[in-house]
Amino acid sequence: MRYRKRKYFLAGRINLIQRSKIRELFEKASKMEDVISLGIGEPDFDTPEVVKEAAKRALDEGYTHYTPNAGIPEFREAIAEYYRDFYRINVDPSNIIVTAGAYEATYLAFQSLLEGGDDVIIPDPAFVCYVEDAKIAEAGILRIPLRAENKFRLDPDELVEMITKRTRMLVMNYPNNPTGAVLDKKTARAIGEIAEDYNLYILSDEPYEHFLYEGARHYPMIKYAPDNTILANSFSKSFAMTGWRLGFTIAPEQVIRDMIKLHAYVIGNVTSFVQIAGITALRDKRSWQALERMRRTYDERRKLVMKYLSKMPHVEPFRPKGAFYIWVKIDPELDMTSEDFAGWLLENAGVVVIPGTAFGKQGEGWIRISYATKKEQLVEAMERMHSALSRL
Ligand SMILES: Cc1ncc(COP(=O)(O)O)c(C=O)c1O
């Protein structure tokens, strides 16, 4: 069928969303041969076999129908059980909604909690979806800088300075995309207290909670500000399940009650057999063993890439202790913007990296490298980068 040429009247709201600036770079890369991408933010591993088997079995057993909007009760219990066993946090299953990944959890939080006249504080740099979610919610956006000298942790004093009567929500994401930074207990506590004192919501997006290195630990914000935190979490990274679209949110009762109204009319419920597989992911030892194998492999790659980067001219990596990204500073003497540098690297080394500005203004002068790529590819990319940069 061919559509007639006519004028379509679209809601202005949709134009608030900015399509990713890095699309052009990817488009250019897709037309080139022999390009290695260190741009992707998804595991290169397959979902653990035991989880795939559970989904197949669930299909055969007839899990092909609607489920309650908030999710299958046994799955919500398994999530609560996981928080109890892993973090000693008591979560009631009634405070959980199973969502289509952390993306949906985040969207629900913005839509349910913010409106015109409210402000949200979003770190800079930050993962790309928060700003777009805020725009659609018509909220004012304040960016709080994350600084290398502070190991890219939020500075509680700076946060207090930014808060006004309009401030409703703070977004947090540790282990962090794009910097690979992790949180520490002192900061988690301080921010939790600020949230309580100023009656702020914390949207804490924690999909990389298990990817920790060098003895780093995870501090879930629901532990430090339970009455204020909306947790977004996901199976995408932990169990290499990006395509399954499985995540969840945990929030106070009243918030959950509102979030579920939107969730019920947008997706109804997350795919039934996917939820059943989620129970296996959380309860079966084999999926945790698979997770640990992935974590170790990421750690080896992290060390490998750090070793290469630290020997390269014109770049200086921040040593990450979480997620699977390395945030790399570009030599200011090169006088190149992040986008120039990423473009130059693509043309001269055939390597795709993400310009830091994709994550906010503070990302100027930085690039993000993902090591969720096979070792041989990483080595090849590093060697190409080294030789290209040596020619500068
Ligand atoms: C920080 C962060 N939050 C959320 C997401 C989206 O994850 P999901 O697949 O669970 O929707 C990503 C994916 O890259 C991410 O890096």
Side-chain angles (χ1 to χ4, degrees):
M1 184 188 80
R2 277 184 153 246
Y3 289 104
R4 267 185 298 140
K5 276 214 166 65
R6 48 158 287 197
K7 185 167 170 50
Y8 287 91
F9 295 98
L10 303 175
R13 186 188 313 119
I14 212 65
N15 293 322
L16 297 172
I17 303 179
Q18 209 172 43
R19 291 193 70 188
S20 177
K21 278 191 248 159
I22 49 186
R23 244 178 345 131
E24 277 169 37
L25 192 77
F26 279 117
E27 267 165 31
K28 194 166 164 194
S30 71
K31 290 185 195 121
M32 290 169 62
E33 273 181 26
D34 195 24
V35 167
I36 301 175
S37 177
L38 305 182
I40 30 176
E42 75 167 297
D44 57 313
F45 299 103
D46 196 6
T47 305
E49 205 54 41
V50 63
V51 179
K52 294 202 285 187
E53 287 303 324
K56 291 180 205 165
R57 225 173 24 246
L59 270 173
D60 289 340
E61 284 169 7
Y63 282 96
T64 53
H65 298 269
Y66 288 133
T67 79
N69 295 128
I72 293 173
E74 191 189 348
F75 184 35
R76 291 160 82 206
E77 271 166 33
I79 295 167
E81 184 182 286
Y82 157 65
Y83 273 87
R84 192 172 57 241
D85 297 347
F86 206 88
Y87 294 114
R88 294 175 197 281
I89 299 174
N90 264 322
V91 175
D92 196 287
S94 66
N95 291 88
I96 301 171
I97 304 175
V98 177
T99 59
Y103 269 133
E104 198 218 347
T106 304
Y107 178 75
L108 294 180
F110 273 92
Q111 285 297 316
S112 317
L113 302 173
L114 301 178
E115 58 192 351
D118 296 334
D119 284 347
V120 53
I121 299 180
I122 299 175
D124 186 351
F127 179 55
V128 290
C129 79
Y130 316 127
V131 166
E132 307 309 321
D133 280 346
K135 288 189 209 158
I136 314 167
E138 294 175 4
I141 301 167
L142 308 171
R143 303 296 299 260
I144 184 166
L146 301 179
R147 303 177 203 284
E149 58 269 30
N150 205 16
K151 296 187 181 153
F152 296 105
R153 288 172 183 154
L154 285 165
D155 178 342
D157 295 332
E158 210 166 349
L159 174 63
V160 169
E161 287 282 301
M162 283 184 105
I163 297 172
T164 69
K165 274 193 287 199
R166 293 162 53 110
T167 318
R168 270 286 145 76
M169 191 161 92
L170 164 72
V171 176
M172 289 179 76
N173 163 230
Y174 291 99
N176 186 258
N177 176 7
T179 62
V182 292
L183 199 57
D184 60 317
K185 198 192 254 181
K186 194 166 154 232
T187 310
R189 260 205 197 124
I191 300 217
E193 277 170 23
I194 294 167
E196 283 173 1
D197 291 350
Y198 292 86
N199 203 14
L200 281 191
Y201 288 115
I202 297 175
L203 170 63
S204 190
D205 187 19
E206 306 180 8
Y208 298 98
E209 64 181 332
H210 294 295
F211 298 125
L212 297 164
Y213 319 106
E214 298 183 17
R217 296 186 54 187
H218 180 57
Y219 301 98
M221 286 309 296
I222 45 170
K223 190 165 192 160
Y224 299 91
D227 296 325
N228 298 58
T229 300
I230 289 85
L231 169 93
N233 207 342
S234 172
F235 287 64
S236 289
K237 320 282 166 161
S238 299
F239 299 104
M241 292 172 70
T242 46
W244 296 62
R245 310 310 304 132
L246 185 62
F248 57 91
T249 179
I250 302 178
E253 233 163 81
Q254 286 177 1
V255 176
I256 281 288
R257 221 182 297 145
D258 281 349
M259 286 169 89
I260 204 160
K261 287 192 232 164
L262 183 59
H263 169 81
Y265 286 124
V266 177
I267 69 159
N269 63 262
V270 167
T271 313
S272 47
F273 52 89
V274 165
Q275 293 188 56
I276 296 291
I279 300 175
T280 297
L282 289 177
R283 288 188 175 157
D284 197 299
K285 181 163 98 230
R286 286 166 290 180
S287 58
W288 289 97
Q289 287 163 345
L291 190 161
E292 178 55 15
R293 280 196 296 276
M294 290 190 266
R295 192 196 65 81
R296 284 202 191 146
T297 309
Y298 286 135
D299 193 19
E300 279 164 24
R301 295 174 184 174
R302 180 186 67 100
K303 288 189 221 153
L304 179 84
V305 176
M306 281 301 288
K307 206 161 124 193
Y308 274 101
L309 287 170
S310 55
K311 288 185 187 147
M312 277 180 211
H314 306 300
V315 289
E316 194 186 327
F318 165 74
R319 192 167 187 87
K321 292 192 181 172
F324 40 63
Y325 306 105
I326 303 183
W327 191 235
V328 184
K329 191 167 172 56
I330 310 160
D331 181 356
E333 303 234 313
L334 291 181
D335 206 22
M336 278 187 191
T337 65
S338 299
E339 281 193 40
D340 290 345
F341 186 83
W344 181 88
L345 215 53
L346 175 61
E347 280 181 12
N348 293 275
V351 173
V352 176
V353 298
I354 310 285
T357 39
F359 307 98
K361 285 202 183 92
Q362 295 287 324
E364 187 54 275
W366 297 78
I367 51 164
R368 189 195 76 176
I369 285 180
S370 159
Y371 51 88
T373 301
K374 299 273 173 288
K375 185 177 166 186
E376 305 73 50
Q377 296 267 82
L378 285 172
V379 168
E380 169 75 21
M382 289 298 112
E383 283 171 358
R384 287 194 202 175
M385 266 179 81
H386 195 138
S387 88
L389 285 166
S390 304
R391 281 181 260 125
L392 261 178

